[in-house]
């Protein structure tokens, strides 16, 4: 950092949605940059004055505000107040500023008010000027985008994270094309990340997919400390300097300080979705985390790394799945052919099976057997279960033996697994069964059978004493 600041980096912190962390980011990033030794001015452009409150500027101290600067054309120096953080100054706002949107409409050069005002302090006074924008795309935001060289967009890790962002970026493009060609989108900061939800990670992935390297690597978590700090009028770096929130904002400050704005104007992001992930992932917001919950936080890079790994795994699983399904189809076709060969006449129709069964049942069934009668739906939909001898009495020869793992839905010839199974890894399971143990034949296509492959993996997991670390259980699909 130079001893005498050169040109300040003028950064608008904007997102037209409220409650995404703009003010928190303006205050925390400002304080963290000041801690690094930079001279920082935070300009509160939101009539709600949250950033002013967060920096501990009491209402009595807001004698001159950004309103006077923008509407009344007071010199900005008159409105600057110090904060409890050395090197961090503020231009506060009050609710009066809400009127500025309307008052400015009829004024000459209305978009340029703030830019002109900042000219007084943009050279040789501050290293960074951060502008906390209101949650709208009105004239105050346009003033900020006109005065700024850079834009930082906080995005909350939530279901509607990208809602309205397309509109904001279209406005940015308009400002870029018509008023401020030098404006650059410097970065996106992911806020209020909750490691307890999958949704948070999906939002990070999705935002990274659209904005790539523009997303800062650090991810700001949703913490109790960060939500408490404004109530004490202290930036997080003062309120709890050792907290995860403070640490993350310090990291963001380093990233912002080290990364210059891009050379190129912002690309057009036309196809931004509103909703990040399917509705299934929408979760009820859980309370912010306290420090104990925050041992391991991901970074954007680590999330993307995991996402890429997961994609590869998915592909492998897809292929595996396809192979299994193909195998199954072959098995079913073979079983059908075998059954047809066994049967000299045409296979009995479902109605015949039901009728024959019902007739026999009426003569000799006891209550227990009655319970075992296949339902009409079963008879129509699936081949009869192997343990129902009554049905198979209708054909000339008994069907081939089928392993009785539990009632399988399709008979299979010897040498083949009766039906698809899935293997479930179960750390606690102590029972260990295979088709062979259950009395069935051994698979003939052992080398290519995925179950055998799985069994091999299971074998490698044995520890030194030869005791399995994990047990494998074979489950029927749809399982027990
Ligand atoms: P915006 O300025 O975009 O409206 P704020 O920064 O005011 O958003 O944040 C909205 C609310 O969420 C505030 O009450 C703030 O204290 C809280 N908040 C912001 N960031 C975090 C965070 N990372 N963890 C917990 N609470 C947060
Ligand atoms: Mg705000």
């Amino acid at each position: 950092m130079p001893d005498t600041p050169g040109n300040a980096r003028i950064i608008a912190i904007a997102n037209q949605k409220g409650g995404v962390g703009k003010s928190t980011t303006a205050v925390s990033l400002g304080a963290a940059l000041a801690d690094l030794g930079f001279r920082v001015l935070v300009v509160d452009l939101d009539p709600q004055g949250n950033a002013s409150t967060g920096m501990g500027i009491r209402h009595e101290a807001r004698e001159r505000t950004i309103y006077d600067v923008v509407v009344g054309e007071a010199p900005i120096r008159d409105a600057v107040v110090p904060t409890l953080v050395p090197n961090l100054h503020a231009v506060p706002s009050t609710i009066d500023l809400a009127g500025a949107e309307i008052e400015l409409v009829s004024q000459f050069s209305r978009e340029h008010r703030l830019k002109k005002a900042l000219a007084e302090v943009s050279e040789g006074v501050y290293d960074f000027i951060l502008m906390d924008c209101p949650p709208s795309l009105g004239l105050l935001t346009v003033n900020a985008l006109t005065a700024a060289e850079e834009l930082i967009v906080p995005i909350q890790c939530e279901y509607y994270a990208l809602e309205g962002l397309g509109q904001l970026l279209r406005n940015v493009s308009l400002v870029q094309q018509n008023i401020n060609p030098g404006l650059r989108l410097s970065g996106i900061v992911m806020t209020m990340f909750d490691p307890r939800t999958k949704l948070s990670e999906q939002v990070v992935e999705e935002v990274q997919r659209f904005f790539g390297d523009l997303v800062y690597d650090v991810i700001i978590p949703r913490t109790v400390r960060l939500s408490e700090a404004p109530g004490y009028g202290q930036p997080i770096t003062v309120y709890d300097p050792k907290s995860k929130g403070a640490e993350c904002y310090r990291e963001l400050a380093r990233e912002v300080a080290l990364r210059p704005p891009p050379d190129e104007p912002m690309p057009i992001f036309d196809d931004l979705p509103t909703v990040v992930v399917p509705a299934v992932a929408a979760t009820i917001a859980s309370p912010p985390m306290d420090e104990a919950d925050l041992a391991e936080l991901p970074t954007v890079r680590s999330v993307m790394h995991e996402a890429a790994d997961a994609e590869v795994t998915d592909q492998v699983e897809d292929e595996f799945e396809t192979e299994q399904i193909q195998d199954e189809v072959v098995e079913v076709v073979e079983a059908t052919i075998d059954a047809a060969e066994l049967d000299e006449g045409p296979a009995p129709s479902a109605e015949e099976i039901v009728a024959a069964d019902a007739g026999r049942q009426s003569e000799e069934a006891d209550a227990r057997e009655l319970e075992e009668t296949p339902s009409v739906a079963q008879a129509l939909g699936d081949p009869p279960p192997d343990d129902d001898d009554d049905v198979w009495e209708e054909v000339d020869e008994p069907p081939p033996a089928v392993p009785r793992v539990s009632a399988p839905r399709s008979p299979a010839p010897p040498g083949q697994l009766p039906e698809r199974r899935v293997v479930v890894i179960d750390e606690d399971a102590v029972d260990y069964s295979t088709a062979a143990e259950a009395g069935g034949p051994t698979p003939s296509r052992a080398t290519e059978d995925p179950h055998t492959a799985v069994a091999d993996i299971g074998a490698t997991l044995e520890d030194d004493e030869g005791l399995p670390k994990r047990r494998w259980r074979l489950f029927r699909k749809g399982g027990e």
Side-chain angles (χ1 to χ4, degrees), residues 19 21-24 46 48 50-51 132-135:
K22 292 183 294 294
S23 303
T24 305
D46 188 345
Q48 288 187 34
N50 292 341
D132 180 30
C133 290

Side-chain angles (χ1 to χ4, degrees), residues 324-388:
Q324 263 200 330
I325 291 167
Q326 281 167 355
D327 282 354
E328 271 171 41
V329 171
V330 170
E331 282 170 16
V332 169
V333 170
E334 283 172 0
T336 312
I337 291 168
D338 285 354
E341 281 169 356
L342 286 170
D343 226 352
E344 271 156 35
S349 72
E351 286 81 2
E352 281 170 336
I353 293 173
V354 174
D357 187 55
R360 202 197 59 74
Q361 292 284 339
S362 68
E363 285 168 25
E364 57 183 276
D366 58 19
R368 204 181 64 78
E369 280 172 322
L370 259 175
E371 273 174 25
E372 288 169 1
T373 306
S375 71
V376 174
Q378 266 176 313
L380 292 175
D382 295 329
D386 69 296
D387 56 357
D388 197 333

Side-chain angles (χ1 to χ4, degrees), residues 70 125 257 317 364 384 408 414 419:
V70 171
V125 184
E317 275 172 4
E364 57 183 276
E419 75 169 339

